[in-house]
Amino acid sequence: MTDPTPILPRQGGRKPAPPASAEEAQMDAAAEAEAAHRAPGRPIRARLAELPERLADLAAPAIEAAVALRPFAPVLLAAMVFLGGLDLLLQGTGAESFWRKAILRDTLPLPFAEASHLFASLTGLALIVLARGLALRMAKARIVATAVLLAGAGFALMKGLRWEAALVLAAIALGLTLARGAFYRKGEWRDFRPSRGWVLAIVLIVVAVILLGITGFHNHAFVTEDFWTFAWAGDAPRSLRASLALAVATAAIALDGLVNRPAPTRPRAHPVPPAVRRLVAASPDSARQVALLGDKRFLVAEDESAFLMYGISGRSWVCLGGPVGDEAAGERLMWRFVEMADRARMRPVFYSLPFARIEKLLELGHSILKIGEVARIDLPAFAMEGPARKDLRYARKRAERDGLSFEVVPAAQVPALIEALRPVSDAWLAERTGKEKGFSLGAFDAQYLAHFDMAVMRQEGRIVAFANLWASGEGNEMAVDLMRHVGGASPVLMEAFMCEAILHAKARGFRWFSLGGAPLSGLPDHPLAPVWARIGTLVYRRGDEFYSFDGLRRYKQKFGPVWSPFYMTCPGGLSAARALVDVALLISRPRRAATEPEPGPEATPLDPPADPPAAPPADPDRGAAATPA
């Protein structure tokens, strides 16, 4: 029987077996392609066509390493620029090499060498000044430093044929060019003008350089004739002229840095966008109503599904309470806020955050500080019966005997009531020798108070206490904000007032009633606790002379609340202490009404306020207003 399979001619060996699977077929095709790629007879043009791809594969690890090191590039390059400037300064303190001067004498006119020596020293001083701007990631500092480095390389060649220094300076300029993406902050000269500490460092460096020059040429008599001697062998006169130029330039820089600093300005208020009003009305957190105060800036998502509010104080951008609205959009806003603060050379601070917001901020590497606890009453479980409510029942009965009556005035009628409320507010402020606060606390402002229902307590028809009521969306929470009263009306005035407000919220069907916060309450008291916690505990215990921390907590404890912590996050190290001071200033200083445009990502930050440090950011007589969001 004949085999029907055709017999193929042999071509140099046995026919390979067919692949057993599609995977093996792919592997065979790849092997054949690799063999063809390495074949000796392969056209050179094809190999050259693939050369860019192979070079890219070889350069990929270096590119990845450069991207990973990009955050450190500004500091590293700033240090290199500083050292390059210092080297140029030190070059002017000694004599140039004889053989290098001999070559220059045959190629350059003497005036070129003399001018290059002088300008090389001034270039070194300029690089030291610019190093600070580079460390701050300023884009203009990078551009100017690149040009100054190249000029310094040219001066190093013309003054003494110092090609080694010229190559180093040119290499640093190349590094600045390649790392230009790391210098993304915009600003003017005043934004990286030397600080007082930097001015002092520059003065010390220049003085040391001048002294080295005098020591290096101690055999020369620095007289008028030497100063005006221009010759290839005149290293000492050149050093003297460079020292004089350095002294004059340093004095000008120091004078500019110390005198021409911008005057402190206070941030102005901003109009509340319609999207913010809508999101605040829908928020289940009643403390978000403080956004309507008008003393904050707002960052709103593009689709208007979320926003965050913040204020500027010192070197801090302080976000109050975190984002409001859609969770995903709010998280993006948090990152955008941090990026904006970084571009403006400010520290991002998140103040009065609930525990649920902390997890996202851990990714920023922030330090987390517990700053107190918030008291909230579970309204469905709240009742006036039982031995635990004996004091509250007495306060209500005593208030009735003292002729006190409680009512809630609708928001529409509040504008007509403002002038009757003003004497109460003025008397309250006069008793405490204080002033209006803001940011996380409401203020006595007619436009602001007109947004809310007003709880008032009257005695013989005269208003003796009032508080505006924050009511959250979804009937979740109610709180009192700005709480003011007069003295002498009744010893149980505030207890009775708060009881009536709580019962009013319960009757309206709200789930929670917020009594506000107790600053520094609930901090861990243990030898191994963080330093901030131990300091806060000490202030909480021993600070009654300045502020009744413990008294505020005991007052709120009468109502049987549920306590929950609130936090502040900020960059670690000394930034935490500075951020606390900035937050205290932001809350305690008076606001200024205005309508400025919202700052963008490249906004220039405001300078530190001129206000002195004030009281802690809470007040035991302001009820829920004492708590941040």
Side-chain angles (χ1 to χ4, degrees):
M1 184 174 180
T2 307
D3 187 356
T5 304
I7 300 175
L8 298 176
R10 297 175 61 121
Q11 297 181 0
R14 182 180 297 178
K15 176 186 175 182
S21 63
E23 183 179 358
E24 290 185 2
Q26 293 178 358
M27 294 175 64
D28 291 343
E32 292 176 1
E34 182 67 19
H37 180 76
R38 296 179 178 178
R42 189 163 173 267
I44 300 219
R45 182 178 297 177
R47 296 185 182 184
L48 291 176
E50 296 177 357
L51 185 59
E53 182 179 354
R54 286 187 166 272
L55 290 177
D57 292 339
L58 293 174
I63 295 175
E64 292 178 1
V67 172
L69 294 175
R70 176 180 171 180
F72 307 99
V75 177
L76 179 60
L77 289 170
M80 295 173 66
V81 168
F82 180 89
L83 294 176
L86 186 60
D87 180 64
L88 284 177
L89 290 179
L90 293 175
Q91 287 179 20
T93 62
E96 300 293 346
S97 172
F98 175 78
W99 69 268
R100 298 191 188 206
K101 283 195 296 185
I103 296 175
L104 285 174
R105 187 168 48 209
D106 296 335
T107 56
L108 277 181
L110 177 60
F112 279 79
E114 293 283 358
S116 298
H117 191 283
L118 180 65
F119 289 133
S121 297
L122 295 177
T123 298
L125 178 62
L127 291 177
I128 291 176
V129 174
L130 290 168
R132 180 173 183 268
L134 295 174
L136 296 175
R137 295 174 169 83
M138 306 296 293
K140 289 189 176 181
R142 183 198 67 83
I143 296 173
V144 176
T146 302
V148 173
L149 283 166
L150 295 177
F155 294 142
L157 287 174
M158 290 189 292
K159 70 184 286 291
L161 205 62
R162 293 181 176 260
W163 56 270
E164 307 95 331
L167 285 178
V168 171
L169 295 176
I172 298 173
L174 178 61
L176 288 175
T177 303
L178 295 177
R180 58 185 177 275
F183 299 90
Y184 50 84
R185 290 173 177 165
K186 295 186 177 181
E188 303 299 332
W189 160 246
R190 68 181 182 90
D191 295 317
F192 55 90
R193 175 181 279 114
S195 62
R196 291 178 175 86
W198 198 253
V199 166
L200 178 60
I202 292 173
V203 170
L204 293 177
I205 290 172
V206 171
V207 169
V209 168
I210 292 175
L211 291 177
L212 283 175
I214 295 175
T215 305
F217 297 102
H218 64 278
N219 293 326
H220 288 262
F222 290 110
V223 294
T224 307
E225 290 78 8
D226 277 340
F227 184 86
W228 295 110
T229 298
F230 297 92
W232 285 105
D235 292 317
R238 275 194 290 270
S239 177
L240 182 61
R241 289 190 292 269
S243 297
L244 179 60
L246 283 176
V248 173
T250 303
I253 292 172
L255 189 64
D256 176 69
L258 298 176
V259 176
N260 292 334
R261 305 198 71 82
T265 58
R266 298 177 183 176
R268 295 177 178 270
H270 292 258
V272 182
V276 171
R277 298 180 183 274
R278 173 175 54 80
L279 292 169
V280 163
S283 173
D285 187 351
S286 64
R288 306 301 189 179
Q289 306 287 333
V290 78
L292 305 179
L293 185 58
D295 63 346
K296 301 169 187 67
R297 301 169 185 256
F298 300 96
L299 191 60
V300 184
E302 293 182 359
D303 59 357
E304 298 186 346
S305 63
F307 80 93
L308 60 79
M309 48 187 162
Y310 67 99
I312 297 176
S313 177
R315 304 303 306 172
S316 299
W317 280 17
V318 185
C319 173
L320 179 61
V324 181
D326 180 72
E327 189 73 21
E331 184 177 347
R332 291 192 295 270
L333 284 179
M334 290 172 67
W335 281 104
R336 184 181 169 195
F337 173 75
V338 172
E339 292 170 355
M340 288 172 55
D342 179 69
R343 285 181 178 274
R345 297 190 295 111
M346 304 287 275
R347 71 176 67 89
V349 178
F350 291 85
Y351 178 71
S352 183
L353 289 171
F355 182 77
R357 292 285 186 186
I358 297 299
E359 181 181 358
K360 297 297 182 183
L361 292 170
L362 288 175
E363 300 175 0
L364 298 176
H366 277 199
S367 295
I368 300 174
L369 307 178
K370 182 179 179 180
I371 54 177
E373 293 179 305
V374 177
R376 301 171 73 211
I377 295 176
D378 185 355
L379 290 177
F382 181 82
M384 294 297 296
E385 295 77 18
R389 301 286 185 263
K390 180 177 65 174
D391 293 342
L392 299 183
R393 291 195 300 271
Y394 167 77
R396 294 187 72 198
K397 292 180 181 179
R398 174 65 186 271
E400 186 178 353
R401 292 200 307 268
D402 291 343
L404 298 174
S405 61
F406 177 86
E407 68 172 307
V408 176
V409 179
Q413 302 176 19
V414 169
L417 195 66
I418 290 295
E419 293 308 316
L421 301 177
R422 193 179 301 279
V424 179
S425 177
D426 293 343
W428 187 90
L429 290 172
E431 289 178 2
R432 286 150 185 81
T433 63
K435 60 182 179 181
E436 290 288 359
K437 295 179 173 59
F439 192 61
S440 64
L441 309 173
F444 191 87
D445 180 88
Q447 186 176 1
Y448 168 68
L449 295 177
H451 292 98
F452 312 105
D453 293 346
M454 186 70 65
V456 298
M457 188 76 88
R458 298 179 185 270
Q459 188 177 48
E460 299 178 355
R462 180 175 66 97
I463 296 177
V464 293
F466 71 88
N468 64 302
L469 299 177
W470 282 343
S472 74
E474 305 174 2
N476 182 64
E477 185 180 67
M478 180 176 282
V480 293
D481 171 31
L482 181 72
M483 194 169 183
R484 302 281 165 89
H485 63 89
V486 297
S490 172
V492 296
L493 172 62
M494 297 315 299
E495 286 83 353
F497 184 90
M498 192 64 71
C499 283
E500 298 298 338
I502 293 171
L503 294 175
H504 169 74
K506 183 179 175 69
R508 289 272 306 272
F510 282 87
R511 175 72 178 82
W512 294 94
F513 188 91
S514 176
L515 296 174
L520 304 182
S521 170
L523 299 185
D525 184 13
H526 192 277
L528 299 180
V531 175
W532 154 249
R534 284 180 284 170
I535 294 175
T537 301
L538 179 63
V539 173
Y540 181 84
R541 289 179 175 176
R542 307 295 183 184
D544 289 344
E545 182 178 348
F546 306 99
Y547 185 84
S548 181
F549 295 99
D550 188 56
L552 177 62
R553 182 185 172 90
R554 282 189 280 105
Y555 167 76
K556 295 181 178 182
Q557 186 62 40
K558 294 179 180 180
F559 302 93
V562 177
W563 294 95
S564 57
F566 62 96
Y567 301 86
M568 183 183 85
T569 74
C570 60
L574 294 178
S575 295
R578 295 170 181 168
L580 286 168
V581 173
D582 288 342
V583 171
L585 288 172
L586 187 62
I587 293 173
S588 64
R589 68 187 175 203
R591 67 189 176 95
R592 297 171 61 188
T595 54
E596 293 181 354
E598 182 65 20
E602 277 76 43
T604 301
L606 296 174
D607 293 284
D611 303 41
D619 199 312
D621 293 310
R622 295 185 68 165
T627 185

